[in-house]
Amino acid sequence: MEKKIYIETYGCQMNFSDSEIVASIITEKNYTSSDKAEDADIIFLNTCSIRENAEQKVFNRLKQLQHLRKNKPGLVLGVLGCMAERLKTSLLEEKEMGMRVDMVVGPDSYRDLPQLLLDVENGQKAVNVILSSEETYADITPVRYASNGVSAFISIMRGCENFCTYCVVPFTRGKERSRKPESIINEAKGLFRDGYREITLLGQNVNSYHWQDEQSGKAWSFPALMEAVALIDPALRIRFATSHPKDMSDELLQIIALHPNICMAIHLPAQSGSSNVLKKMNRKYTREDYMDRIHAIRRILPGCAISTDLIAGFCGETEEDHQQTLSLMHEVGFDFAFMFKYSERPGTLAAKKLADDVPEKVKSRRLQEIIDLQNELSLKSNQADVGKEFEVLIEGTSKKSEKRVSGRNSQNKVVVFDNNKDFKPGDYAKVKITACSSATLQGEYVEG
Ligand code: 5AD
Ligand code: SF4
């Protein structure tokens, strides 16, 4: 009998993309996928280690899932992804953990899953947390089991070697490596043929994408790759994430300017507005360098949305440093931001060398100030769009009303409007913005 497998994904887009690779590897081998943990024989949690609360969420979920063993003694519970890589065999220590985990599989070992499942069936605990300097899963066609049929991720590179001092990623995802361009372009072509209309090229640090073709000697940079994907069809939108400010070249911005189907939205994590803090974070740029990149975006791509990541309360952050983060936010006028409290991660350079000395209360207050300011900035940015027209790629019906559809404009803003034209997911519509909140734009369809 075919066994049913259920995958639950936590964390970043890369993890969601990896889960599609896992689904592909597994369903080729006599397993079928299930969309409910309760129905499954095998449950995988694809996990995230970026902050302590991300790990806590997974521990709670693992504990909660244990009761399913009562009705299903053969249930296999596997931890995949960054927590598997970080915590390794300690996850299998039943006494210490206060629960049972059967499998631990790191992000570079998914090809080994069918064998590891056999090992578990034979009564062994299964572990593979070996990191690779080559694995890109280039030949695996992801199974898009949770997709809206319109937008898809394509992973173009893996790993990170930037070693920002706060970040656990270089330890859990290993060395940076790029995927063969042909396999990326073919995957994008296949998605377009299947009706997809938006592709996000994914990597921890996409601007350092690099591929040297052994036979022809031809070198591929990220701008070249993006251009090749953009040329597949003008109706296929291209996005990318995430970029490191130190590698955001004018050449890349010029390629975006040249192709209307490359979206006008750049995610450029600043982390802090203080050069002192940036230095302690090992970000390799100053506030001025960051602003120089912002000015380049404004110059080459007028109308481009800019979003960011910010960390409140990093080691040694003073009130003045925090004020500089707020002033950077004002100066750039971010359209959107992901905002976090600093969370010390064991094994990172910050954990080893810097004191986590900003009191919890102060971190919380600073984070709240950052969030409040971003809400104002997002509202302002949306208000400035009222009266403008945008091309919207429709993703589905609006959550609030069946009669309305929801999609995104090139700037990655959610736009909701009346479906008075029998629009389907994947259709493009020209929409005039009539109202907004800090989170969404409301509009109406305009002919032409
Ligand atoms: N604490 C808080 N936020 C972190 N990030 C990465 N590591 C940490 C940490 N230890 C944030 C950064 C990064 C985003 C993915 O997560 O802002 O850009
Ligand atoms: Fe972490 Fe820095 Fe790499 Fe991003 S660039 S994954 S923040 S080490």
Side-chain angles (χ1 to χ4, degrees), residues 160 162-164 166-167 169-170 204 244 271 283:
C160 179
N162 284 320
F163 289 97
C164 300
Y166 51 79
C167 189
V169 167
Q204 248 77 40
H244 194 298
Q271 314 299 0
R283 289 290 286 177

Side-chain angles (χ1 to χ4, degrees), residues 197-217:
R197 291 294 174 266
E198 184 178 87
I199 277 168
T200 305
L201 302 177
L202 275 189
Q204 248 77 40
N205 187 12
V206 286
N207 333 59
S208 38
Y209 177 87
H210 182 79
W211 182 270
Q212 182 108 33
D213 195 90
E214 274 172 19
Q215 273 150 17
S216 66

Side-chain angles (χ1 to χ4, degrees), residues 240-299:
F240 59 98
T242 288
S243 312
H244 194 298
K246 77 177 163 55
D247 304 315
M248 176 54 79
S249 65
D250 283 7
E251 186 198 355
L252 178 65
L253 300 175
Q254 273 142 9
I255 292 287
I256 301 174
L258 214 57
H259 299 274
N261 57 330
I262 303 182
C263 289
M264 291 281 271
I266 293 183
H267 186 64
L268 203 62
Q271 314 299 0
S272 169
S274 153
S275 293
N276 286 336
V277 173
L278 290 169
K279 190 153 202 287
K280 285 188 197 143
M281 289 177 163
N282 190 30
R283 289 290 286 177
K284 303 179 186 103
Y285 56 85
T286 60
R287 178 192 175 108
E288 291 67 37
D289 297 334
Y290 186 84
M291 281 314 300
D292 172 73
R293 294 297 77 209
I294 296 296
H295 293 140
I297 296 171
R298 299 275 186 241
R299 187 175 69 242

Side-chain angles (χ1 to χ4, degrees), residues 36-87:
K36 255 180 107 189
E38 285 71 20
D39 296 343
D41 306 293
I42 299 155
I43 300 175
F44 287 155
L45 301 191
N46 192 0
T47 62
C48 169
S49 288
I50 199 101
R51 283 169 292 275
E52 196 184 346
N53 58 9
E55 291 199 343
Q56 206 47 57
K57 227 158 92 188
V58 170
F59 282 128
N60 293 343
R61 181 66 172 145
L62 283 170
K63 290 216 165 101
Q64 190 202 15
L65 287 168
Q66 299 294 324
H67 79 276
L68 296 175
R69 293 193 192 276
K70 276 190 208 131
N71 294 333
K72 218 173 260 173
L75 179 75
V76 176
L77 200 51
V79 174
L80 314 187
C82 289
M83 277 174 77
E85 198 59 55
R86 195 178 86 72
L87 298 164

Side-chain angles (χ1 to χ4, degrees), residues 392-408 414-425 427 429 431-437 439-445:
V392 175
L393 174 60
I394 296 161
E395 290 170 15
T397 50
S398 143
K399 277 184 215 135
K400 289 189 189 145
S401 158
E402 285 279 302
K403 293 195 185 108
R404 286 163 77 71
V405 279
S406 164
R408 281 166 202 272
V414 174
V415 183
V416 181
F417 58 104
D418 281 343
N419 187 3
N420 48 14
K421 270 269 171 180
D422 196 23
F423 287 121
K424 302 267 179 309
D427 288 345
V431 179
K432 183 171 183 171
I433 306 306
T434 52
C436 73
S437 67
T440 356
L441 300 175
Q442 314 270 342
E444 54 198 33
Y445 167 70

